[in-house]
Amino acid sequence: MGSFDSNSLPKKGSNSLLNYFLFYKFWASQIYQMILDVSTPVKALVANAGIHSTDPKVSTLHSLSRTLEARKADFTRRKSLKVKIGSWNVAALPGTERDVGGWFVGGKGVAEALAGLEVKEVVEHGSHVPGGSSHDSRESVNHQEHRANPQKSTIPKRDTGTLPGGDDIDIYALGLQEIVDITSPTEALRPYADNSAAEKWKNCVANALPKGFKLVAEQQLMGLLLLVYASGDLFPTISSVSTSSVGTGFMGYMGNKGAVAIRIVLGETTRLVFINCHMAAGADKAALERRNWDANQIASRIRFTPITTMEGVSEEMGDSLGDEDFAWWFGDLNYRLESIPGDDVRRLLMLHTQNEYNKIKGSAKKIQQELTATDSPPPFIQSSHPDDHFSEEAPSSMSSSMIYPGTLSEAASTTSSIIQSHDSDHLDPSQDPSSLQTTLASLLPHDQLRLQQAAGQAFHDGWQEGPILFLPTYKYDVGSVGMFDSSEKRRGPSWCDRILFRTRQGKLAYEKKIHEVDESRKRDSDMSARGIDEAGAEDSVLFDYDPETDGANTDDDQFSDTATHSDALRTKEESDESIRLDAYASHQRVLSSDHKPLTGLFTISYPGVDPALKAIVYQGIARDLDKAENEERPGVTVVVDQHLDNPIQNDGAAGDEGRNTPEGANFGEVRYNQPKFRNITIANTGRVSATIGFIGRPSIEGDVEGVTPPWLTLKFEDLGITENEQLLIKDTPDSLQKITLEPGEAINAVLKLRVRDFELVRLLNSSKAVLDDVLILRVTNGRDHFIPVHGIWLPSCIGRSINQLIRVPERGVRALPPPPHDLPESSPICCSVPRELLSLITAVEETIEHFIAEVEMTGSPTNKTTPHDSGPLSWPFTSSEDWVLVNSLQRNKRHSFVLEALDTGQPISALFPPDMPSQQRLEAVAGTLVSFLRSLSDGIIPVGLWKELQVAREKISTSLTDEEQRNIVLDVLSTAPNHSISFVFVTSMLARVAAEMAPLPSPGKPVMPDSVKPMRRHSRTSSTVSLTDEMVTRRHLVEMAYARIFAEALVRCQMPAQERDRKAVEERRTEVVAVFLRMREGQGSSSD
C-alpha cells in the first residue's frame, strides 16, 4: 500500500464544513488506495494458507476449479430468464413509495400512446396482459390528476397493467434515487445511511412481489437505494453476492451523487451486475463534463469481493466492472438535450400530451394556456445535418432547422387530424410527420448521452440502450401526466433517466474493433514514416485507407431509434443473442414525483449447470489429475494395527473390538485410566523423498485445538517398539515433529489413549462426549491421510455424584441403560451409602488385616523392609510412585482390577490374581479409594455444606475441644444424610488404619475414639510399656498425613487466589478430617 504524508492530514481546531470534507476526502482516498493495492496482501494470504502449492506438479483446488471451468460446456445447458429493471428518482417526496408496487411489479401506469407501446407489442414478446383485458375501463387522466394525493397511490384505477410482471419475471432489480433529501446538510454529514427510509421501500416492494420472491441483496448510499429480488426457484442458484458503493458528490467522494452496485453469480457460471446511479445535474458544459467524470469514476472504482465457487475455491482478486457477463447501468444519469431551446421542446411535446386529456381543466388547461401564450407556433425540429453528430467538432457547432407548420391553431388541428387518420389508416408512426415518434426522432440527435457515446467520452465501451419511443422522463409538475415544468425555471424536458445494458460479448466486440482501428492507424503511421505518400505506391497495398473517414456509417441517421454508437462497432456476425430487450418504456401516469419511472424488460440466455453432469465431469477431472500427480508426488502407505488387547471382559462377555468398527485406529473398549496403544506404520512407497508430520485438526466449537484430542498422544518411534518402550511415551503431543523418509523407508507412530480427566469422564458417562476423532498426516507436496480414531467407552463409577451412586443397582454402573435413562432423579435409592465406597472401605480394612498378619508371621511379606516399618507416613494412601511396584503399567493393571469390580458389582478380591501379594492388593485398593473420592462431582462435603460448616464455626469465639468440633461437623452434615454417613465411614476407616500403622502400646486396654473400635487384638509385645514421645509423635504425624490427603478428596470448596488465604483454607479443611482421627488425651493404642 502506498505511503502517505501525515502533514497532509486536515488540521484540528476547526469546525468548518470545509475542514470536515477535507478530512473525509483524505481518508476516502487512503481507503481507495488500499483497494487498488489489495492484490499484494491477498496473494500473500493465499500463499500462506497453502492454497497454491509451490510445486507446479501438485494439483490444488484451484487447478481443479480451472480445469472444471475449461470444461464448462460439458455440464451446462442453455437456460433463459426474464430480468426486470426499474429506475425512479422519487425526489424525496412523500407518498412515492405507495406507487412503486403498481408500476414496478404490476407494470401499471403506462400511457401507451405516449410510450410508443401497444399492448399487442408486449404480447408478441411472449408475455401477457394481466387479466387479459384492455384498458378501455381505466381511470381517465383528468380524474386521476384530480384525486392525486400523497396519502394514496396515484396509479390509475382499474389499470390491469401493460408491461409483464408478477410471476412472469425471474429477477427484479429496482434502482431509486433521492429516497432522502440529498440537499440537506443533515443527510450530507450523517455518518451512516438512513436505514428507515430503505426499510419503507423494501416493505412496499416485498408486499407487491408474488409469494416466494426473496431479497438477494440491497445497497444504499445516502439517497441511492438498489434492491435485487429473485424468484423462489431461482434464489438457491445464486451465489457470491457482493455490493459496492462509489461516492462522486462533493469533493468527488461524498454520497450525494454516485452509484451503488450489486454483483451476483447465477447458476455457478454467469455474473450479473446491477448499477444504480445519480450523476451530476445541470445543463451547461461544465455539468456535462462532470457527468462524464462521474461515469468514469464509477466504472473505475467499483470493486466486488472475490468469487467463491461451489467447490470452496476463492479467486485471488475481486471483480471490477467489465468482468461480468451481463451488466445493467441505470438511474438518473442527468444527460440533457443541448443546442435546442427548452421552451420549444416543452411546447412541442405538450402538443402530444394534451391529447391524453378529455376535459380542459387542471394540467390540460395549463397546457392549453402555454400553447396559446405566444404567437410563435411550436416547431417541428429535425437535424439539418445528421452526419455532423459524428464529427469531432464540439456539440455546440451542430445546427438544426425548425420547420413551422403554420399557426398554432393550425398545428394543433393538423396534429389532431393526422393522429386520428393514423388510428384509422394504421399509418406507420415513423412515416407520419406529426406523430410522437417523428417528434422524438427529431429530438434524440440532441441527446447528450448519445453524443457523448459517439464522441467516446462516456458509455462507449459496449453499452447499449433500447429504442427511445417514450416521452422525456424529466421534468414534470408533480401530480401531472403531461404538464412539463411550469415553475419559474421552466426546465427543458430531457431523458435524464436511462437504462443501459452490456454483455461480455458486446464489450469484447468493442475492444476488438478498437484494437483493429488502432492497428490500422499504426500501419498507416508506419507507411507514412517510410515515405510512402500514397497507399498505392507499394505493391502490397491494394487500396487507400483513411482511418478518419473509412468505415464511417453512411446512413442518413446514425441515431436511429434502434441503433446506438456501440452498435456501429458490431458486425452482423457478432450479433449478441444472449440478451433481448422485450420492453423499454416510461410510466407516464405515475404522478407522485417530477420524474417518470422507467422500466426495462430483458430476456437473457445463459449456461446453467446440470448438477448430475457436473458431478460426472468433476469426478473424471479429479481422477485424471490425481493419477497424473501421483506419479511424481510423494506417496506413503499407512497401515494401522488392529490387534486385540482387552485383558478384562465384562462378566465373560467378549469385547466388540474389530467387529463393525470404523477403519483406522480402533482402541476397542476403553476404561478409566487404562492406557491403550496402537501402532501406525508409515512407509514411503513412492519414488521421491517424503516429509511427513501430523498437523492440527480443524477446530470445532468446544474442542481443544491440537494434533490430537486431550485423551490421545502420539510419538514417532522406530519399528519394533516393545510394550515396555511404549511406557516411555509422554502424555504431551509431539505436534510439530517432521520426519523425512527416503523411498523404501518406514517409521512407526505410536498412539496412546488414556482417559483420566474427571471432567472428561463425566462427559463420557453422560454420552456428551465420545472417543472419536480424526488424525491428519500431512505429506509435504502430497495428499493428506486421514486416520480415524475410535474407542468404546465403558461406563464407570468414577466422576459421578453421591446422589447418583446411591441409585446404582447391585450389578454396578455397567448394568445401567444408556444415557439419559441411566440414573434419572426418579429412580429408587438402593442404599444410603454408595456401594462402591463401602466395597472400597471394606477392602481396605480386610487387606490391611491380611497385610499385618502376614508381617507378624514372616516379618515381611517380601523379606524386605515394608512401608509399615519405614517409609512415607501417608502409606498406603500415598502416591503410586511410592508403591512396591515400580512398573507403571503393572500398577495400572492393579487399579483396573479394583475399578472393574466396582463397575460390575463383583467382589474386589474375586478379580485379584490368587498369587498377588497382600501389600500390592492393599496399595491398589487404597489408591483406588483416594481416586474415587477425588472424582466425586459433589464430594463427601459439598461446597454448600462447607460454607455452612465455616459459618457455624465462626459463631463460636472460644477455642473448641476435639469433641465439640466433631459435634459441629456432624450437626451440619446431618442435613445431608447420605453425605454424613459416607463421611463417618471414611473417617472411621482412616482412624483404624492409623492405629494399625502407628500403634501406641499401653499397660491397659486402650481407649479409642467413640466412632472407632479395635479391629483385632495384637500381641506385638508381651510386656506393658509406657507411652513414649516417639510413638505418640509418629501417630500424630500419620493422622495428619492421612488428614491432608483425604481433606482434599472429601471436601469441595472454593480456593482463594492469594497463597496465604489458600493455605489457611487448606489448614481448616485438614483440621475437619484430623479431628475425627485423633485419640483423646491419655488414651493409648488399639492393642492390648
Side-chain angles (χ1 to χ4, degrees):
M1 184 174 62
S3 60
F4 63 88
D5 184 4
S6 60
N7 294 326
S8 62
L9 281 168
K11 306 303 180 183
K12 292 186 177 180
S14 173
N15 294 324
S16 65
L17 182 62
L18 177 60
N19 192 62
Y20 176 88
F21 283 122
L22 288 175
F23 186 84
Y24 183 95
K25 179 180 179 182
F26 169 79
W27 283 114
S29 64
Q30 294 301 318
I31 294 172
Y32 179 54
Q33 186 62 39
M34 291 171 62
I35 295 174
L36 295 180
D37 294 343
V38 74
S39 60
T40 300
V42 169
K43 289 179 180 177
L45 179 62
V46 171
N48 292 336
I51 295 177
H52 285 298
S53 172
T54 57
D55 188 347
K57 298 179 181 178
V58 179
S59 69
T60 63
L61 283 176
H62 276 74
S63 61
L64 180 60
S65 180
R66 286 193 296 268
T67 307
L68 196 64
E69 176 69 18
R71 293 188 55 184
K72 185 168 59 177
D74 295 340
F75 57 84
T76 58
R77 297 294 180 264
R78 300 302 299 182
K79 297 182 180 180
S80 64
L81 57 82
K82 288 191 178 295
V83 180
K84 193 172 190 179
I85 308 293
S87 177
W88 194 18
N89 187 325
V90 299
L93 292 172
T96 46
E97 72 278 0
R98 302 178 189 277
D99 291 335
V100 68
W103 72 263
F104 179 56
V105 180
K108 302 176 182 180
V110 176
E112 290 82 357
L114 300 180
L117 183 68
E118 297 293 343
V119 175
K120 63 180 181 180
E121 295 177 356
V122 181
V123 174
E124 288 172 357
H125 283 106
S127 302
H128 68 279
V129 177
S133 61
S134 66
H135 294 290
D136 294 340
S137 61
R138 185 167 54 184
E139 181 182 23
S140 67
V141 172
N142 292 89
H143 189 272
Q144 179 189 2
E145 290 187 353
H146 177 71
R147 69 169 179 83
N149 188 320
Q151 303 301 320
K152 297 181 180 180
S153 173
T154 65
I155 299 292
K157 295 181 178 180
R158 301 179 298 281
D159 189 341
T160 57
T162 302
L163 299 177
D167 290 320
D168 292 334
I169 308 300
D170 299 291
I171 295 178
Y172 284 92
L174 174 63
L176 300 171
Q177 304 89 45
E178 297 191 46
I179 63 171
V180 298
D181 185 5
I182 61 175
T183 64
S184 167
T186 302
E187 293 294 339
L189 299 178
R190 188 191 298 271
Y192 54 86
D194 184 2
N195 293 330
S196 62
E199 289 298 322
K200 174 178 65 176
W201 286 94
K202 285 166 57 180
N203 292 335
C204 291
V205 175
N207 292 335
L209 287 170
K211 185 178 180 181
F213 273 79
K214 298 181 179 180
L215 178 65
V216 176
E218 61 176 300
Q219 185 70 355
Q220 182 182 0
L221 175 65
M222 200 168 173
L224 285 167
L225 178 63
L226 177 59
L227 304 173
V228 176
Y229 295 85
S231 65
D233 294 335
L234 188 65
F235 185 85
T237 68
I238 295 175
S239 61
S240 295
V241 178
S242 179
T243 62
S244 181
S245 297
V246 177
T248 62
F250 188 79
M251 302 298 293
Y253 293 94
M254 293 297 289
N256 57 314
K257 291 293 188 290
V260 290
I262 293 175
R263 190 276 320 277
I264 64 175
V265 175
L266 189 62
E268 303 182 42
T269 60
T270 307
R271 309 181 190 197
L272 276 59
V273 170
F274 305 91
I275 306 169
N276 173 30
C277 75
H278 191 188
M279 301 201 302
D284 56 4
K285 183 178 180 181
L288 172 62
E289 294 175 351
R290 182 54 186 260
R291 280 191 285 276
N292 292 340
W293 184 87
D294 286 351
N296 292 325
Q297 286 291 303
I298 293 169
S300 63
R301 287 162 54 186
I302 284 180
R303 290 290 188 277
F304 298 111
T305 57
I307 289 178
T308 301
T309 66
M310 299 299 289
E311 291 75 35
V313 178
S314 295
E315 296 180 348
E316 292 186 19
M317 295 293 297
D319 281 355
S320 58
L321 191 60
D323 296 331
E324 70 285 342
D325 298 287
F326 297 94
W328 289 268
W329 192 324
F330 46 93
D332 187 355
L333 277 63
N334 253 325
Y335 285 104
R336 310 301 173 91
L337 295 177
E338 65 177 28
S339 304
I340 183 172
D343 285 340
D344 291 346
V345 178
R346 293 175 70 260
R347 288 187 291 115
L348 179 61
L349 293 176
M350 285 190 293
L351 280 174
H352 297 277
T353 61
Q354 68 175 347
N355 297 322
E356 292 295 303
Y357 298 89
N358 56 9
K359 294 181 181 180
I360 308 300
K361 61 179 182 179
S363 295
K365 188 174 183 180
K366 285 185 179 181
I367 294 173
Q368 187 180 56
Q369 289 174 350
E370 185 164 340
L371 291 176
T372 58
T374 176
D375 294 335
S376 299
F380 289 100
I381 305 170
Q382 66 183 112
S383 172
S384 59
H385 302 287
D387 290 341
D388 291 343
H389 300 308
F390 289 91
S391 68
E392 295 183 353
E393 300 177 6
S396 59
S397 65
M398 291 183 280
S399 62
S400 63
S401 63
M402 298 190 181
I403 306 173
Y404 296 89
T407 64
L408 178 63
S409 59
E410 291 174 350
S413 61
T414 300
T415 300
S416 176
S417 62
I418 291 178
I419 290 176
Q420 292 176 1
S421 174
H422 164 65
D423 291 339
S424 59
D425 299 337
H426 300 287
L427 183 64
D428 186 351
S430 62
Q431 305 300 321
D432 186 352
S434 64
S435 69
L436 174 62
Q437 302 311 316
T438 302
T439 302
L440 299 182
S442 67
L443 295 176
L444 286 171
H446 299 270
D447 175 53
Q448 288 181 340
L449 175 56
R450 295 195 171 191
L451 292 172
Q452 296 308 302
Q453 285 183 293
Q457 298 300 310
F459 299 105
H460 53 284
D461 49 347
W463 290 102
Q464 305 177 66
E465 186 181 20
I468 295 181
L469 305 176
F470 49 86
L471 288 173
T473 58
Y474 177 81
K475 175 184 186 186
Y476 294 85
D477 287 350
V478 176
S480 171
V481 170
M483 183 64 204
F484 290 96
D485 184 19
S486 62
S487 66
E488 293 182 0
K489 293 184 178 181
R490 300 172 71 85
R491 295 177 179 86
S494 297
W495 285 280
C496 292
D497 307 281
R498 310 294 274 268
I499 299 177
L500 309 178
F501 60 97
R502 183 175 70 181
T503 64
R504 182 186 296 274
Q505 182 177 340
K507 184 175 184 295
L508 295 177
Y510 170 82
E511 293 173 349
K512 178 182 178 182
K513 292 297 182 182
I514 292 299
H515 177 72
E516 292 175 353
V517 171
D518 291 340
E519 289 296 319
S520 298
R521 289 183 177 178
K522 185 183 297 184
R523 288 195 299 269
D524 184 72
S525 177
D526 292 342
M527 288 190 296
S528 299
R530 298 203 312 262
I532 303 175
D533 295 330
E534 296 293 336
E538 196 170 277
D539 294 339
S540 62
V541 181
L542 302 179
F543 55 87
D544 285 343
Y545 173 75
D546 185 353
E548 302 294 336
T549 59
D550 288 0
N553 195 336
T554 57
D555 295 342
D556 292 337
D557 186 4
Q558 286 184 318
F559 287 108
S560 66
D561 293 337
T562 60
T564 64
H565 176 66
S566 298
D567 295 321
L569 295 175
R570 184 175 303 176
T571 64
K572 182 176 181 181
E573 290 76 10
E574 294 169 339
S575 177
D576 191 352
E577 297 181 355
S578 63
I579 190 168
R580 184 183 72 225
L581 175 63
D582 296 332
Y584 188 32
S586 65
H587 297 260
Q588 198 71 23
R589 296 193 63 175
V590 177
L591 314 181
S592 52
S593 176
D594 56 358
H595 287 253
K596 297 301 180 184
L598 192 61
T599 292
L601 181 60
F602 300 84
T603 299
I604 65 171
S605 175
Y606 69 99
V609 171
D610 186 320
L613 292 177
K614 181 181 178 181
I616 296 174
V617 174
Y618 185 91
Q619 293 174 2
I621 294 174
R623 183 171 55 251
D624 294 342
L625 288 176
D626 190 59
K627 179 180 179 181
E629 292 165 1
N630 283 339
E631 295 178 356
E632 295 297 332
R633 70 190 301 183
V636 301
T637 299
V638 179
V639 179
V640 183
D641 68 347
Q642 296 295 335
H643 64 272
L644 303 182
D645 58 351
N646 190 22
I648 301 178
Q649 303 295 338
N650 289 334
D651 295 329
D656 59 353
E657 301 184 35
R659 184 179 70 247
N660 297 327
T661 55
E663 296 181 358
N666 178 26
F667 286 89
E669 295 177 346
V670 178
R671 296 167 174 82
Y672 168 73
N673 202 28
Q674 289 189 40
K676 303 191 76 173
F677 301 90
R678 290 291 182 269
N679 293 330
I680 301 177
T681 303
I682 306 168
N684 184 352
T685 54
R687 297 189 293 183
V688 296
S689 300
T691 300
I692 62 173
F694 286 91
I695 64 171
R697 303 146 21 250
S699 60
I700 304 175
E701 184 177 0
D703 284 357
V704 178
E705 296 183 358
V707 174
T708 61
W711 39 269
L712 187 71
T713 58
L714 66 87
K715 187 178 182 63
F716 283 120
E717 295 288 349
D718 294 332
L719 290 175
I721 185 172
T722 64
E723 184 178 68
N724 289 333
E725 289 173 333
Q726 290 176 342
L727 301 176
L728 301 177
I729 300 177
K730 299 179 180 179
D731 290 338
T732 55
D734 194 1
S735 58
L736 299 180
Q737 183 180 5
K738 290 187 177 181
I739 303 294
T740 298
L741 299 177
E742 297 300 326
E745 291 184 344
I747 197 170
N748 209 47
V750 181
L751 300 181
K752 176 182 178 182
L753 188 154
R754 187 177 189 181
V755 178
R756 59 179 179 178
D757 178 73
F758 293 148
E759 184 60 33
L760 176 60
V761 171
R762 295 185 186 104
L763 294 175
L764 291 170
N765 282 336
S766 60
S767 295
K768 295 180 179 179
V770 292
L771 299 178
D772 285 305
D773 214 303
V774 177
L775 303 181
I776 304 176
L777 177 65
R778 169 65 50 83
V779 181
T780 304
N781 293 333
R783 72 180 184 89
D784 293 343
H785 292 259
F786 299 92
I787 305 172
V789 178
H790 173 70
I792 301 173
W793 174 250
L794 296 181
S796 174
C797 61
I798 297 295
R800 301 183 185 270
S801 66
I802 294 291
N803 189 43
Q804 291 176 324
L805 292 172
I806 60 178
R807 291 175 166 81
V808 174
E810 291 185 8
R811 292 188 298 162
V813 293
R814 301 279 174 79
L816 294 171
H821 308 294
D822 52 349
L823 289 172
E825 294 291 336
S826 59
S827 58
I829 296 176
C830 299
C831 55
S832 59
V833 177
R835 283 193 176 89
E836 295 80 4
L837 181 60
L838 288 176
S839 297
L840 288 170
I841 292 174
T842 302
V844 169
E845 293 177 345
E846 290 178 352
T847 53
I848 201 168
E849 285 189 7
H850 294 160
F851 171 74
I852 295 297
E854 198 171 335
V855 170
E856 290 177 349
M857 289 187 296
T858 64
S860 171
T862 58
N863 295 321
K864 297 179 181 179
T865 302
T866 67
H868 170 264
D869 301 319
S870 62
L873 296 172
S874 59
W875 191 89
F877 305 107
T878 186
S879 61
S880 58
E881 286 75 10
D882 296 320
W883 286 16
V884 68
L885 286 176
V886 177
N887 190 302
S888 61
L889 181 60
Q890 294 178 359
R891 292 198 301 264
N892 286 327
K893 286 184 177 180
R894 302 299 186 266
H895 272 300
S896 68
F897 295 142
V898 180
L899 288 174
E900 188 70 13
L902 297 178
D903 293 338
T904 58
Q906 301 180 66
I908 295 177
S909 59
L911 290 183
F912 282 137
D915 57 346
M916 184 175 175
S918 60
Q919 180 175 340
Q920 294 183 16
R921 295 191 182 197
L922 175 59
E923 289 175 338
V925 174
T928 305
L929 173 62
V930 175
S931 296
F932 174 80
L933 293 173
R934 285 175 177 169
S935 76
L936 293 174
S937 59
D938 50 355
I940 298 296
I941 301 180
V943 175
L945 291 180
W946 173 257
K947 290 181 179 179
E948 294 181 17
L949 189 59
Q950 296 307 301
V951 172
R953 179 64 181 85
E954 291 173 358
K955 289 181 179 180
I956 302 174
S957 58
T958 60
S959 59
L960 301 174
T961 64
D962 288 352
E963 186 68 23
E964 290 173 333
Q965 292 187 59
R966 287 194 289 269
N967 291 336
I968 291 176
V969 173
L970 294 176
D971 286 343
V972 173
L973 294 182
S974 64
T975 59
N978 304 113
H979 290 265
S980 178
I981 298 174
S982 300
F983 180 80
V984 170
F985 269 88
V986 172
T987 54
S988 298
M989 178 272 300
L990 290 176
R992 297 182 186 187
V993 173
E996 293 290 348
M997 293 296 102
L1000 299 177
S1002 63
K1005 184 177 180 180
V1007 180
M1008 301 294 291
D1010 295 340
S1011 60
V1012 180
K1013 295 181 180 180
M1015 290 184 284
R1016 60 189 298 274
R1017 295 178 60 88
H1018 297 294
S1019 56
R1020 294 186 184 139
T1021 177
S1022 59
S1023 62
T1024 303
V1025 296
S1026 61
L1027 296 177
T1028 65
D1029 293 340
E1030 180 180 355
M1031 301 178 74
V1032 172
T1033 301
R1034 177 172 175 79
R1035 167 68 73 85
H1036 176 71
L1037 292 176
V1038 169
E1039 291 171 346
M1040 291 306 297
Y1042 289 175
R1044 291 189 186 95
I1045 291 176
F1046 280 84
E1048 179 187 358
L1050 297 175
V1051 180
R1052 301 290 183 268
C1053 61
Q1054 296 178 348
M1055 299 301 291
Q1058 297 295 329
E1059 181 69 19
R1060 181 178 179 182
D1061 296 336
R1062 187 163 54 250
K1063 288 184 177 180
V1065 172
E1066 290 174 353
E1067 290 177 359
R1068 290 196 300 269
R1069 188 173 60 180
T1070 301
E1071 181 63 21
V1072 168
V1073 178
V1075 73
F1076 283 86
L1077 307 186
R1078 286 197 294 267
M1079 293 179 55
R1080 297 176 183 177
E1081 293 185 13
Q1083 294 179 340
S1085 73
S1086 60
S1087 58
D1088 291 335

